[in-house]
Amino acid sequence: MIYIRSEQEIAKLKESNRINYETLTMLSKEIKPGVTTRKLDKLAENFIKSQNGKPAFKGYHGYPATLCTSINEEVVHGIPSERKLKKGDIIGIDVGTFKDGYYGDAAYTFYVGELSSEDEKLLRVTKESLYIGIKKAQPGARLSDIGNSIQNHVEKNGFSVVRVLVGHGIGRELHEAPEIPNFGEAGKGPIIKAGMCFAIEPMVNVGNYSVSTLSDNWTVVTSDKKKSAHFEHSIIITKNGPVIMADKENGSIDFYGQRKID
Ligand code: MF3
Ligand code: CO
């Protein structure tokens, strides 16, 4: 079943998501050549704990870290390690916070040091597709309208949408009903209602949508080894439309790596 959350619950979801986005903002200043993904993980864990939150991924089905750090052809669920970031890498960082009974889930793909025009297009199109999908999450719309709009935007730009991993409801569990694919026909599935809370998270490949999992049993990589990007927001559906939980009234939460963009 898809839960309808009360105002009090939404306040708690927003708090967990605030911590997530402040974590990503803090990390955006630390991402540079030579930094290990383990260092980023430690910084994130310390920050989340300083906010009285708990890293939501650590221990989830045995996942060993606070962040998922997915570099270049890694799509999602890359495990932080002693690997050092290199100039020209792109890194997807996925973070989850649990606080006061409720979860936050967010992801952003950053560039390291410099951004090629091909990678700029991948990051831009993936991020645009997230916002296009969010805009479709209107009360009265059908759930599959979200994924359909994401897929259209991505494929129009010559990229592909990962099929085997999907967005999800979020609340008292990290992953709740419904599943939210980033592809498919419009006009299908449940009707979206005010009070529903979703994590929308397009994963976009430069090449084919086919992916596989490495022998660490976590890291998902593109089969053709081309790059992939991932952006995720947790949102609440209000009677006036979707609201990004981490959004502040006065600030942009959009940034690429060290460079803030509008
Ligand atoms: N953010 C990921 C998701 O949306 C969660 C990572 S799951 C973990 O589904 F297992 F890696 F923790
Ligand atoms: Co998620």
Side-chain angles (χ1 to χ4, degrees):
M1 82 173 258
I2 307 176
Y3 292 100
I4 303 293
R5 300 294 174 191
S6 67
E7 285 305 318
Q8 291 89 321
E9 292 183 291
I10 285 161
K12 292 180 180 180
L13 281 157
K14 283 187 169 166
E15 169 63 4
S16 292
N17 283 285
R18 174 193 69 79
I19 296 170
N20 268 352
Y21 247 81
E22 287 190 17
T23 305
L24 289 172
T25 304
M26 179 273 293
L27 291 174
S28 73
K29 296 169 190 130
E30 303 292 335
I31 291 170
K32 38 181 99 83
V35 173
T36 68
T37 48
R38 198 183 312 284
K39 163 104 188 286
L40 299 177
D41 194 67
K42 203 67 215 156
L43 287 169
E45 179 171 356
N46 291 343
F47 180 75
I48 291 170
K49 288 181 176 164
S50 79
Q51 303 294 303
N52 299 317
K54 205 169 121 317
F57 300 166
K58 210 171 199 171
Y60 182 85
H61 295 284
Y63 188 75
T66 294
L67 300 177
C68 299
T69 52
S70 307
I71 300 170
N72 299 336
E73 78 282 3
E74 297 173 355
V75 179
V76 287
H77 303 167
I79 302 174
S81 70
E82 290 308 313
R83 177 170 176 178
K84 289 191 168 101
L85 298 181
K86 291 207 305 283
K87 190 158 116 179
D89 284 343
I90 57 168
I91 176 171
I93 297 190
D94 196 336
V95 58
T97 295
F98 179 72
K99 182 172 174 179
D100 209 5
Y102 293 83
Y103 283 90
D105 194 0
Y108 203 95
T109 302
F110 302 87
Y111 69 90
V112 181
E114 71 183 16
L115 182 65
S116 68
S117 59
E118 289 125 69
D119 291 351
E120 192 276 336
K121 184 180 174 196
L122 174 65
L123 300 194
R124 179 171 46 77
V125 168
T126 309
K127 183 146 66 68
E128 284 168 358
S129 78
L130 169 61
Y131 284 86
I132 286 168
I134 289 173
K135 214 180 273 170
K136 291 284 177 185
Q138 301 287 341
R142 294 273 183 179
L143 193 70
S144 78
D145 297 348
I146 298 172
N148 177 259
S149 69
I150 291 172
Q151 180 179 20
N152 285 344
H153 187 65
V154 168
E155 293 183 354
K156 196 172 70 193
N157 283 282
F159 298 141
S160 67
V161 164
V162 173
R163 304 287 204 265
V164 295
L165 294 151
V166 297
H168 48 93
I170 184 161
R172 297 185 69 88
E173 303 289 341
L174 177 61
H175 295 138
E176 295 184 352
E179 289 194 349
I180 309 175
N182 297 299
F183 62 96
E185 261 179 70
K188 308 265 184 225
I191 292 175
I192 296 170
K193 297 202 178 93
M196 291 180 175
C197 295
F198 298 153
I200 301 184
E201 48 179 320
M203 288 147 270
V204 172
N205 294 353
V206 167
N208 193 274
Y209 63 72
S210 163
V211 298
S212 55
T213 304
L214 297 184
S215 58
D216 64 13
N217 284 327
W218 281 105
T219 313
V220 177
V221 295
T222 58
S223 303
D224 60 15
K225 302 287 182 276
K226 293 185 179 164
K227 285 182 177 174
S228 183
H230 176 215
F231 288 82
E232 177 175 21
H233 273 311
S234 299
I235 66 166
I236 149 91
I237 316 304
T238 74
K239 62 179 189 330
N240 300 318
V243 171
I244 296 171
M245 290 202 209
D247 241 342
K248 301 215 183 68
E249 275 155 53
N250 56 355
S252 164
I253 49 171
D254 263 345
F255 44 83
Y256 278 131
Q258 299 88 337
R259 182 166 61 107
K260 204 148 169 57
I261 61 155
D262 294 324

